[in-house]
Amino acid sequence: CLVDEMVTVNDINFWGSPWVPYINGNWCFEAEEGGDVMTDFLKRKFSTIASTTDVLITHSPMRLGDSDYSLQYDMQKKRPFGSASLRDVLKDRERLPHLMFCGHIHSGSHKCEIFGNGKCPYNTYCYNVSRVDERYTIAYPIRVVEVREKTIHEYPYTPTKE
């Protein structure tokens, strides 16, 4: 478990952060967001993400595309649950993570979202890797993502027989 810290494995820097925007006050690592960097707790937390991060692992996605919309609390209408603070911190970076994985949004889009900021010469590939739906039933497949020669390849997961 990485709580606002980095670990390096095979020369790849992984940063992990468990924070999510406020939902209902019943969960660990949820906080209000909004305001400037002094009043926005999440913006301060996400500002500590090292600029050398290659793979960003967060509980919450950034507010981006369809991946952060959920049916939580209202099965008839999706609402955004992603973090605008995380997006705002990354949009000002000269160097972005190559990959981002999150899982907080169960019913959000499970397709790859691409985030770019115009300052970095490459984009971040963002994946919602939640496996369960709003009823905590396994609903989404395991994803295998490989980075090879600065190109991302996705494969279907095939369990090996032992």
Side-chain angles (χ1 to χ4, degrees):
C1 179
L2 297 173
V3 180
D4 303 317
E5 60 188 331
M6 183 163 43
V7 64
T8 302
V9 178
N10 295 333
D11 295 323
I12 299 172
N13 295 324
F14 295 84
W15 184 277
S17 183
W19 297 97
V20 298
Y22 181 84
I23 302 166
N24 58 18
N26 293 328
W27 300 95
C28 293
F29 300 108
E30 63 178 304
E32 294 285 351
E33 68 178 346
D36 62 24
V37 75
M38 295 305 295
T39 59
D40 187 337
F41 178 85
L42 290 181
K43 194 173 281 184
R44 287 195 313 273
K45 282 293 182 186
F46 294 137
S47 291
T48 66
I49 297 169
S51 62
T52 56
T53 300
D54 298 308
V55 179
L56 179 58
I57 305 165
T58 60
H59 190 161
S60 177
M62 68 177 101
R63 181 73 55 87
L64 175 69
D66 293 327
S67 63
D68 74 310
Y69 277 79
S70 176
L71 295 170
Q72 188 87 24
Y73 303 116
D74 185 348
M75 295 303 282
Q76 304 304 313
K77 183 179 179 202
K78 288 186 175 185
R79 101 177 211 222
F81 279 85
S83 174
S85 297
L86 178 56
R87 180 199 59 218
D88 292 349
V89 164
L90 293 178
K91 77 177 183 184
D92 291 329
R93 295 282 174 105
E94 300 273 332
R95 183 182 185 282
L96 292 170
H98 295 280
L99 292 168
M100 178 181 171
F101 297 103
C102 68
H104 177 56
I105 311 302
H106 302 274
S107 58
S109 170
H110 282 70
K111 67 180 191 230
C112 176
E113 298 274 356
I114 299 173
F115 174 77
N117 66 5
K119 296 179 180 183
C120 182
Y122 56 85
N123 295 320
T124 300
Y125 292 84
C126 307
Y127 293 90
N128 175 354
V129 293
S130 171
R131 298 252 0 256
V132 298
D133 62 18
E134 301 303 339
R135 293 178 179 88
Y136 294 91
T137 302
I138 293 178
Y140 305 103
I142 292 173
R143 299 179 94 148
V144 178
V145 179
E146 176 185 12
V147 180
R148 188 174 355 110
E149 298 173 10
K150 298 188 179 183
T151 303
I152 296 172
H153 303 272
E154 289 187 56
Y155 303 99
Y157 173 73
T158 306
T160 58
K161 295 180 181 176
E162 304 242 354

